[in-house]
Amino acid sequence: MPLTNVETAVDARTGVDKLWARLRVEAASAAAEEPILASFLNAAILRHDKFAHALAYRIASKMADAQLDSMLARDVAEEAIEGDPQIVAQAAADMIAVDERDPACLSLLQPFLYFKGYHALQAHRIAHWLWMQGRQTLAFHLQSRVGERFGLDIHPAARIGSGVMFDHATSVVIGETAVVGDDCSILHEVTLGGTGAAHEDRHPKIGKGVLIGAGARVLGNIQVGDGARIAAGSVVLEPVPAGCTVAGVPAKIVGKCACKEPAKSMDQSLPQGSG
């Protein structure tokens, strides 16, 4: 039987609690191993009683500037998290995605403390909540700060699912009407861009579990089906069927994905003979 909303919420909360327990253990171990960082680890993780509070603190520390100091930035983050508790569940799912898919990730500490793709995505979730509340000026301010701090640009209106990984993340651009489904993996220099200057639905709709290789450009209001794979450097101008691999400029279908979940396996190899 399908899970009810209550059962789903309980399952998500249990997952967050398990992740938080693991993150605290890793932080305590790192503080003992590297005492010079003990104060930092305590402020960022160990002094907080729940993941939501640590998340708000970490986002605020990254987004604070002369116009929005760390205390105000933290208030904004906590207001958004209280207004939409799903932000915390999504942040946990994003962290697990990085841990499972990035072989360079050795612990949960790395994405939570250091990975700019993770930080940018969580800041976007706060900005998106503000946008949906009609607070566009502050949403745009956070968007600008993400660009300044991390070198990527996500419009606050863009909708992004959970369990998403931005690997490296430098120069990622995601437009206003773009949608990214759950469990996607997006590498650096990817553009989900629009066509034309009209104020209309003009950006890509990316399905679940899609892998988008480095430097790929997906342009226009087109659908990319679930479990599809877009090769690095491709320019995608036409819809992509579910489970297919596309490559080239302009991108063409070169075969079916060898695995059902390319975004999780991170397998970017092309079918033989597709060159």
mmCIF file of all heavy atoms in Angstrom, residues 20 24 27 38-51 53-54 56-58 61 70-71 74 78:
data_model
loop_
_atom_site.group_PDB
_atom_site.id
_atom_site.type_symbol
_atom_site.label_atom_id
_atom_site.label_comp_id
_atom_site.label_asym_id
_atom_site.label_seq_id
_atom_site.Cartn_x
_atom_site.Cartn_y
_atom_site.Cartn_z
ATOM 1 N N TRP A 20 21.539 13.369 11.288
ATOM 2 C CA TRP A 20 22.039 14.312 12.281
ATOM 3 C C TRP A 20 22.920 13.601 13.303
ATOM 4 O O TRP A 20 23.983 14.113 13.677
ATOM 5 C CB TRP A 20 20.867 14.996 12.959
ATOM 6 C CG TRP A 20 21.200 15.940 14.078
ATOM 7 C CD1 TRP A 20 20.685 15.919 15.340
ATOM 8 C CD2 TRP A 20 22.095 17.058 14.038
ATOM 9 N NE1 TRP A 20 21.195 16.936 16.088
ATOM 10 C CE2 TRP A 20 22.068 17.659 15.315
ATOM 11 C CE3 TRP A 20 22.911 17.593 13.051
ATOM 12 C CZ2 TRP A 20 22.840 18.773 15.626
ATOM 13 C CZ3 TRP A 20 23.684 18.719 13.358
ATOM 14 C CH2 TRP A 20 23.639 19.295 14.639
ATOM 15 N N ARG A 24 26.943 14.468 13.809
ATOM 16 C CA ARG A 24 27.505 14.863 15.100
ATOM 17 C C ARG A 24 28.672 13.953 15.496
ATOM 18 O O ARG A 24 29.694 14.430 16.017
ATOM 19 C CB ARG A 24 26.415 14.838 16.179
ATOM 20 C CG ARG A 24 25.422 15.976 16.076
ATOM 21 C CD ARG A 24 24.396 15.908 17.206
ATOM 22 N NE ARG A 24 25.033 16.003 18.509
ATOM 23 C CZ ARG A 24 25.377 17.148 19.107
ATOM 24 N NH1 ARG A 24 25.135 18.299 18.506
ATOM 25 N NH2 ARG A 24 25.942 17.153 20.290
ATOM 26 N N ALA A 27 31.602 14.993 13.449
ATOM 27 C CA ALA A 27 32.132 16.279 13.889
ATOM 28 C C ALA A 27 32.950 16.125 15.164
ATOM 29 O O ALA A 27 34.025 16.724 15.307
ATOM 30 C CB ALA A 27 30.987 17.265 14.106
ATOM 31 N N ALA A 38 38.379 22.619 16.390
ATOM 32 C CA ALA A 38 37.359 22.212 17.358
ATOM 33 C C ALA A 38 36.332 23.321 17.597
ATOM 34 O O ALA A 38 35.123 23.066 17.677
ATOM 35 C CB ALA A 38 38.005 21.798 18.670
ATOM 36 N N SER A 39 36.782 24.548 17.715
ATOM 37 C CA SER A 39 35.860 25.656 17.956
ATOM 38 C C SER A 39 34.903 25.835 16.774
ATOM 39 O O SER A 39 33.704 26.047 16.958
ATOM 40 C CB SER A 39 36.648 26.950 18.196
ATOM 41 O OG SER A 39 35.773 28.040 18.398
ATOM 42 N N PHE A 40 35.443 25.739 15.566
ATOM 43 C CA PHE A 40 34.623 25.852 14.366
ATOM 44 C C PHE A 40 33.589 24.732 14.293
ATOM 45 O O PHE A 40 32.402 24.972 14.018
ATOM 46 C CB PHE A 40 35.541 25.811 13.139
ATOM 47 C CG PHE A 40 34.829 25.577 11.831
ATOM 48 C CD1 PHE A 40 33.850 26.453 11.378
ATOM 49 C CD2 PHE A 40 35.149 24.483 11.042
ATOM 50 C CE1 PHE A 40 33.207 26.238 10.174
ATOM 51 C CE2 PHE A 40 34.503 24.251 9.845
ATOM 52 C CZ PHE A 40 33.523 25.138 9.401
ATOM 53 N N LEU A 41 34.002 23.506 14.554
ATOM 54 C CA LEU A 41 33.088 22.368 14.504
ATOM 55 C C LEU A 41 32.016 22.466 15.587
ATOM 56 O O LEU A 41 30.859 22.079 15.370
ATOM 57 C CB LEU A 41 33.879 21.068 14.642
ATOM 58 C CG LEU A 41 34.749 20.724 13.426
ATOM 59 C CD1 LEU A 41 35.801 19.690 13.804
ATOM 60 C CD2 LEU A 41 33.899 20.229 12.275
ATOM 61 N N ASN A 42 32.395 22.987 16.727
ATOM 62 C CA ASN A 42 31.410 23.172 17.790
ATOM 63 C C ASN A 42 30.364 24.210 17.385
ATOM 64 O O ASN A 42 29.156 24.000 17.556
ATOM 65 C CB ASN A 42 32.108 23.613 19.076
ATOM 66 C CG ASN A 42 31.121 23.782 20.214
ATOM 67 O OD1 ASN A 42 30.535 22.827 20.700
ATOM 68 N ND2 ASN A 42 30.939 25.021 20.658
ATOM 69 N N ALA A 43 30.813 25.329 16.815
ATOM 70 C CA ALA A 43 29.884 26.386 16.418
ATOM 71 C C ALA A 43 28.983 25.942 15.277
ATOM 72 O O ALA A 43 27.789 26.271 15.252
ATOM 73 C CB ALA A 43 30.671 27.638 16.012
ATOM 74 N N ALA A 44 29.528 25.187 14.339
ATOM 75 C CA ALA A 44 28.774 24.809 13.148
ATOM 76 C C ALA A 44 27.839 23.638 13.386
ATOM 77 O O ALA A 44 26.771 23.558 12.771
ATOM 78 C CB ALA A 44 29.741 24.472 12.007
ATOM 79 N N ILE A 45 28.235 22.721 14.297
ATOM 80 C CA ILE A 45 27.460 21.484 14.441
ATOM 81 C C ILE A 45 27.170 21.127 15.896
ATOM 82 O O ILE A 45 26.014 20.982 16.302
ATOM 83 C CB ILE A 45 28.209 20.304 13.761
ATOM 84 C CG1 ILE A 45 28.348 20.565 12.257
ATOM 85 C CG2 ILE A 45 27.473 18.980 14.015
ATOM 86 C CD1 ILE A 45 29.230 19.575 11.531
ATOM 87 N N LEU A 46 28.197 20.964 16.704
ATOM 88 C CA LEU A 46 28.050 20.276 17.991
ATOM 89 C C LEU A 46 27.214 21.049 19.015
ATOM 90 O O LEU A 46 26.591 20.438 19.884
ATOM 91 C CB LEU A 46 29.436 19.962 18.567
ATOM 92 C CG LEU A 46 30.248 18.959 17.742
ATOM 93 C CD1 LEU A 46 31.666 18.834 18.286
ATOM 94 C CD2 LEU A 46 29.556 17.598 17.721
ATOM 95 N N ARG A 47 27.177 22.353 18.915
ATOM 96 C CA ARG A 47 26.413 23.105 19.920
ATOM 97 C C ARG A 47 24.910 23.148 19.613
ATOM 98 O O ARG A 47 24.119 23.587 20.443
ATOM 99 C CB ARG A 47 26.952 24.528 20.039
ATOM 100 C CG ARG A 47 26.551 25.454 18.908
ATOM 101 C CD ARG A 47 27.042 26.869 19.178
ATOM 102 N NE ARG A 47 26.563 27.799 18.164
ATOM 103 C CZ ARG A 47 26.899 29.095 18.152
ATOM 104 N NH1 ARG A 47 27.690 29.571 19.092
ATOM 105 N NH2 ARG A 47 26.441 29.884 17.211
ATOM 106 N N HIS A 48 24.518 22.687 18.435
ATOM 107 C CA HIS A 48 23.114 22.733 18.038
ATOM 108 C C HIS A 48 22.403 21.451 18.465
ATOM 109 O O HIS A 48 22.999 20.371 18.500
ATOM 110 C CB HIS A 48 22.999 22.920 16.528
ATOM 111 C CG HIS A 48 23.677 24.150 16.030
ATOM 112 N ND1 HIS A 48 23.160 25.421 16.211
ATOM 113 C CD2 HIS A 48 24.859 24.315 15.372
ATOM 114 C CE1 HIS A 48 23.984 26.307 15.679
ATOM 115 N NE2 HIS A 48 25.019 25.664 15.162
ATOM 116 N N ASP A 49 21.114 21.569 18.782
ATOM 117 C CA ASP A 49 20.381 20.409 19.277
ATOM 118 C C ASP A 49 19.637 19.667 18.177
ATOM 119 O O ASP A 49 19.109 18.576 18.410
ATOM 120 C CB ASP A 49 19.402 20.808 20.382
ATOM 121 C CG ASP A 49 18.353 21.815 19.902
ATOM 122 O OD1 ASP A 49 18.460 22.310 18.759
ATOM 123 O OD2 ASP A 49 17.424 22.099 20.674
ATOM 124 N N LYS A 50 19.581 20.233 16.961
ATOM 125 C CA LYS A 50 18.928 19.530 15.863
ATOM 126 C C LYS A 50 19.510 20.006 14.534
ATOM 127 O O LYS A 50 20.106 21.089 14.439
ATOM 128 C CB LYS A 50 17.416 19.730 15.889
ATOM 129 C CG LYS A 50 16.956 21.165 15.799
ATOM 130 C CD LYS A 50 15.428 21.266 15.716
ATOM 131 C CE LYS A 50 14.764 20.739 16.966
ATOM 132 N NZ LYS A 50 13.285 20.940 16.918
ATOM 133 N N PHE A 51 19.307 19.193 13.520
ATOM 134 C CA PHE A 51 19.870 19.472 12.202
ATOM 135 C C PHE A 51 19.342 20.794 11.638
ATOM 136 O O PHE A 51 20.092 21.552 11.014
ATOM 137 C CB PHE A 51 19.545 18.313 11.247
ATOM 138 C CG PHE A 51 20.063 18.508 9.850
ATOM 139 C CD1 PHE A 51 21.419 18.641 9.602
ATOM 140 C CD2 PHE A 51 19.190 18.557 8.774
ATOM 141 C CE1 PHE A 51 21.903 18.822 8.309
ATOM 142 C CE2 PHE A 51 19.659 18.732 7.481
ATOM 143 C CZ PHE A 51 21.025 18.867 7.245
ATOM 144 N N HIS A 53 18.584 23.561 13.078
ATOM 145 C CA HIS A 53 19.285 24.718 13.635
ATOM 146 C C HIS A 53 20.696 24.845 13.069
ATOM 147 O O HIS A 53 21.152 25.950 12.745
ATOM 148 C CB HIS A 53 19.345 24.615 15.158
ATOM 149 C CG HIS A 53 18.002 24.701 15.806
ATOM 150 N ND1 HIS A 53 17.764 24.283 17.100
ATOM 151 C CD2 HIS A 53 16.807 25.138 15.343
ATOM 152 C CE1 HIS A 53 16.497 24.472 17.400
ATOM 153 N NE2 HIS A 53 15.889 24.985 16.346
ATOM 154 N N ALA A 54 21.379 23.699 12.935
ATOM 155 C CA ALA A 54 22.721 23.723 12.361
ATOM 156 C C ALA A 54 22.676 24.158 10.900
ATOM 157 O O ALA A 54 23.542 24.904 10.432
ATOM 158 C CB ALA A 54 23.369 22.348 12.483
ATOM 159 N N ALA A 56 20.419 26.148 9.440
ATOM 160 C CA ALA A 56 20.174 27.590 9.387
ATOM 161 C C ALA A 56 21.440 28.372 9.704
ATOM 162 O O ALA A 56 21.753 29.377 9.043
ATOM 163 C CB ALA A 56 19.058 27.968 10.359
ATOM 164 N N TYR A 57 22.191 27.913 10.705
ATOM 165 C CA TYR A 57 23.440 28.574 11.090
ATOM 166 C C TYR A 57 24.447 28.544 9.946
ATOM 167 O O TYR A 57 25.098 29.543 9.638
ATOM 168 C CB TYR A 57 24.021 27.907 12.327
ATOM 169 C CG TYR A 57 25.325 28.492 12.794
ATOM 170 C CD1 TYR A 57 25.345 29.552 13.699
ATOM 171 C CD2 TYR A 57 26.542 27.988 12.345
ATOM 172 C CE1 TYR A 57 26.547 30.098 14.135
ATOM 173 C CE2 TYR A 57 27.747 28.524 12.765
ATOM 174 C CZ TYR A 57 27.747 29.580 13.659
ATOM 175 O OH TYR A 57 28.939 30.122 14.084
ATOM 176 N N ARG A 58 24.556 27.382 9.290
ATOM 177 C CA ARG A 58 25.553 27.233 8.225
ATOM 178 C C ARG A 58 25.182 28.073 7.009
ATOM 179 O O ARG A 58 26.034 28.723 6.401
ATOM 180 C CB ARG A 58 25.686 25.757 7.825
ATOM 181 C CG ARG A 58 26.919 25.486 6.955
ATOM 182 C CD ARG A 58 28.164 25.707 7.748
ATOM 183 N NE ARG A 58 29.383 25.602 6.935
ATOM 184 C CZ ARG A 58 30.398 26.447 7.033
ATOM 185 N NH1 ARG A 58 30.347 27.449 7.883
ATOM 186 N NH2 ARG A 58 31.474 26.279 6.295
ATOM 187 N N SER A 61 25.945 31.697 7.776
ATOM 188 C CA SER A 61 27.370 32.014 7.765
ATOM 189 C C SER A 61 27.887 32.217 6.354
ATOM 190 O O SER A 61 28.852 32.966 6.137
ATOM 191 C CB SER A 61 28.169 30.903 8.461
ATOM 192 O OG SER A 61 28.182 29.719 7.689
ATOM 193 N N SER A 70 25.011 38.155 9.960
ATOM 194 C CA SER A 70 24.805 36.729 10.208
ATOM 195 C C SER A 70 23.577 36.448 11.070
ATOM 196 O O SER A 70 22.883 35.446 10.863
ATOM 197 C CB SER A 70 26.055 36.118 10.860
ATOM 198 O OG SER A 70 26.360 36.765 12.080
ATOM 199 N N MET A 71 23.278 37.328 12.024
ATOM 200 C CA MET A 71 22.103 37.109 12.869
ATOM 201 C C MET A 71 20.812 37.274 12.058
ATOM 202 O O MET A 71 19.887 36.469 12.171
ATOM 203 C CB MET A 71 22.120 38.088 14.044
ATOM 204 C CG MET A 71 23.225 37.799 15.054
ATOM 205 S SD MET A 71 23.061 36.144 15.795
ATOM 206 C CE MET A 71 21.528 36.339 16.689
ATOM 207 N N ARG A 74 20.456 34.381 9.688
ATOM 208 C CA ARG A 74 20.004 33.188 10.402
ATOM 209 C C ARG A 74 18.507 33.270 10.704
ATOM 210 O O ARG A 74 17.788 32.267 10.595
ATOM 211 C CB ARG A 74 20.799 33.030 11.695
ATOM 212 C CG ARG A 74 20.533 31.728 12.444
ATOM 213 C CD ARG A 74 21.477 31.608 13.617
ATOM 214 N NE ARG A 74 21.222 30.409 14.392
ATOM 215 C CZ ARG A 74 21.892 30.092 15.498
ATOM 216 N NH1 ARG A 74 22.865 30.879 15.935
ATOM 217 N NH2 ARG A 74 21.608 28.989 16.157
ATOM 218 N N GLU A 78 15.870 30.470 9.472
ATOM 219 C CA GLU A 78 15.005 29.766 10.422
ATOM 220 C C GLU A 78 13.533 30.017 10.134
ATOM 221 O O GLU A 78 12.700 29.115 10.290
ATOM 222 C CB GLU A 78 15.359 30.194 11.848
ATOM 223 C CG GLU A 78 16.713 29.656 12.301
ATOM 224 C CD GLU A 78 17.050 30.032 13.730
ATOM 225 O OE1 GLU A 78 16.413 30.992 14.253
ATOM 226 O OE2 GLU A 78 17.937 29.396 14.321
#
